[in-house]
Amino acid sequence: MNILVINCGSSSLKFQLINAQSEELIAKGLCERIGIPGSQMTYAPKGGEKIEKAEDMPDHTAAIRLVLNALSDEKHGVVKSLDEIGAVGHRIVHGGESFAASTVINDEVMKAIEDCNDLAPLHNPANLIGINACRKLMPDTPMVGVFDTAFHQTMPERAYLYGIPYRYYEDYKVRRYGFHGTSHSYVSHRAAELLGREYEDLKMIVCHLGNGASISAVQNGKCVDTSMGLTPLEGLIMGTRSGDLDPAIIEFLCGKEEKTVHEILNVLNKESGVLGLSEGYSSDFRDLEKGYNGGEAPSIRAMNGFIYRVVKYIGAYTAVMNGVDVICFTAGIGENNSFIRKEVCAHLAYLGIGIDEEENAKRGEEVLISTKESRTKVLVIPTNEELAIARETFALVK
């Protein structure tokens, strides 16, 4: 069965077509600037040339139509008809407490996703638009929702509740939810496979380090804590997000800058993190590493702050689980930045970690970077959220 995986943003749409049985990637692509002048689609069939096409996409329905036309195109397509697509798996950012697992989408599910819009106002509405577009163009094809928050629903109450009046949880469901769950699930399961260990017997820390970054603690097959919270703003210092801070800072800055809460939150989401610490130099860690090595103070400040927070969370989650068997690095920075991996692990000697310099120098590969003598294993595992979504989708519709 072929599974079409859809990941909708407010003005973008990423897609992959995957054979569920062989897990072979058949085609992938990206629609950009949906609803904005200058929209275009990039399409790459397996074994074929990448095609870039400027095309007007006034809405997501138009984008989905272009995707389906590309997949079934006589010259560049990979399926003869849309009947060869057995199901569509949709990435959905926030499922609140309603969804602890992936689910087949119906009208009731759509309403429950919509009820979570307040928790993810930039993401869930776009996800719903993508689902509706697919349902319109493929009315007889099963749709499955795979939630970023679902993996973290196993957290105990002591981990997900905030120290605020309990009525805010009862009335508004204000709590820690966590994100990147599909990635954390894929990487933690893959780590157990690579080590030849039972998933339920391991204590793991997964470091999903990209422009958006989060860390999770996975104990005996369940997520027991994660760094992101009600929204993806909490936790690590990220590319442009502040991560953890004293909430009183918001009121303080509102007064000093004569800005609204909304305006300050915009600063915390889009102008902070390593971008803010580097005085606006860059949110790209490749630029920051060059600046760091060149002795530039803003880059050194930003890199040190990021590394410190990663080390701090690893230490905290080691304490939460009373030990750790394996630490995994994944996502853009985790998979490709050997410098950051080395610097983080240099602070973890108390866990009996030594790093193999030659293995750590590799980029974007599945590799054990800890030495044979290391008490705690350290793995680099490229994440594959699309494959994880395809697996979840296939399991529900096969």
Side-chain angles (χ1 to χ4, degrees):
M1 180 188 292
N2 295 327
I3 305 291
L4 178 60
V5 176
I6 296 290
N7 182 353
C8 268
S10 57
S11 62
S12 66
L13 185 157
K14 292 192 289 186
F15 66 94
Q16 288 192 10
L17 187 67
I18 296 171
N19 181 293
Q21 285 92 346
S22 67
E23 299 193 342
E24 174 190 12
L25 175 62
I26 302 170
K28 66 178 180 178
L30 171 66
C31 297
E32 299 177 275
R33 299 179 65 84
I34 299 170
I36 303 170
S39 54
Q40 69 170 25
M41 181 178 74
T42 303
Y43 169 68
K46 183 188 177 185
E49 289 185 24
K50 183 168 76 171
I51 299 165
E52 294 183 354
K53 185 177 182 181
E55 190 83 30
D56 184 38
M57 288 179 256
D59 53 35
H60 285 73
T61 301
I64 294 288
R65 185 177 288 111
L66 281 173
V67 169
L68 298 178
N69 288 343
L71 293 172
S72 58
D73 180 75
E74 276 190 28
K75 186 175 180 181
H76 302 291
V78 291
V79 296
K80 292 180 180 178
S81 78
L82 297 182
D83 293 338
E84 294 180 36
I85 299 175
V88 182
H90 294 268
R91 180 208 178 203
I92 301 168
V93 168
H94 217 307
E97 291 188 325
S98 300
F99 301 100
S102 302
T103 187
V104 176
I105 295 171
N106 55 29
D107 289 342
E108 184 179 348
V109 170
M110 291 290 283
K111 176 63 170 61
I113 296 170
E114 187 177 351
D115 288 344
C116 295
N117 280 0
D118 285 348
L119 298 173
L122 298 179
H123 298 92
N124 271 35
N127 301 155
L128 286 166
I129 289 169
I131 296 168
N132 280 321
C134 284
R135 292 176 91 190
K136 180 179 179 181
L137 296 170
M138 309 170 72
D140 299 322
T141 304
M143 305 281 155
V144 170
V146 181
F147 300 87
D148 273 9
T149 49
F151 179 68
H152 305 301
Q153 283 295 299
T154 54
M155 283 189 291
E157 184 181 71
R158 63 179 180 269
Y160 70 69
L161 285 180
Y162 290 113
I164 57 178
Y166 187 67
R167 68 178 183 275
Y168 293 138
Y169 169 67
E170 291 183 303
D171 294 345
Y172 310 117
K173 299 304 177 187
V174 176
R175 51 159 287 181
R176 178 181 309 283
Y177 288 99
F179 299 88
H180 299 138
T182 307
S183 176
H184 287 281
S185 175
Y186 173 84
V187 170
S188 57
H189 279 91
R190 184 61 182 149
E193 290 176 16
L194 291 172
L195 294 173
R197 299 278 302 276
E198 291 294 324
Y199 186 61
E200 293 77 14
D201 293 340
L202 287 167
K203 297 176 181 178
M204 293 183 274
I205 295 174
V206 178
C207 304
H208 177 107
L209 307 181
N211 197 266
S214 64
I215 296 182
S216 67
V218 184
Q219 183 174 10
N220 304 131
K222 294 181 179 180
C223 176
V224 295
D225 208 344
T226 191
S227 57
M228 284 180 168
L230 175 74
T231 75
L233 183 57
E234 188 181 359
L236 301 173
I237 290 171
M238 303 176 224
T240 63
R241 297 179 199 148
S242 65
D244 297 334
L245 50 70
D246 180 346
I249 290 172
I250 296 174
E251 182 186 28
F252 180 82
L253 291 179
C254 284
K256 292 292 184 182
E257 298 273 309
E258 296 184 348
K259 293 181 184 294
T260 65
V261 169
H262 175 77
E263 288 172 323
I264 293 299
L265 283 174
N266 192 59
V267 170
L268 297 181
N269 272 294
K270 298 180 179 179
E271 300 175 29
S272 300
V274 294
L275 178 66
L277 285 174
S278 67
E279 301 173 42
Y281 172 60
S282 183
S283 62
D284 190 313
F285 283 78
R286 291 168 295 188
D287 296 336
L288 294 170
E289 185 177 348
K290 288 178 184 177
Y292 185 101
N293 291 332
E296 297 173 11
S299 294
I300 292 171
R301 180 191 310 124
M303 291 286 275
N304 285 344
F306 177 81
I307 290 164
Y308 178 79
R309 286 291 180 87
V310 174
V311 169
K312 185 176 177 180
Y313 266 97
I314 290 173
Y317 289 164
T318 300
V320 163
M321 296 188 293
N322 194 23
V324 61
D325 299 308
V326 57
I327 296 169
C328 304
F329 289 96
T330 192
I333 298 163
E335 295 166 23
N336 298 296
N337 196 308
S338 59
F339 171 78
I340 285 178
R341 294 195 300 253
K342 179 181 176 181
E343 289 297 306
V344 168
C345 291
H347 290 78
L348 305 177
Y350 68 95
L351 295 175
I353 291 175
I355 292 299
D356 184 317
E357 297 281 358
E358 185 176 341
E359 295 301 300
N360 187 47
K362 295 177 179 177
R363 292 167 53 89
E365 297 181 33
E366 282 189 346
V367 61
L368 179 72
I369 64 172
S370 52
T371 59
K372 292 179 181 178
E373 298 76 24
S374 293
R375 189 168 72 249
T376 302
K377 303 301 181 185
V378 183
L379 287 165
V380 177
I381 301 177
T383 192
N384 194 333
E385 293 174 274
E386 289 78 11
L387 177 57
I389 291 170
R391 286 173 174 170
E392 297 269 345
T393 302
F394 182 57
L396 285 170
V397 302
K398 65 181 178 180

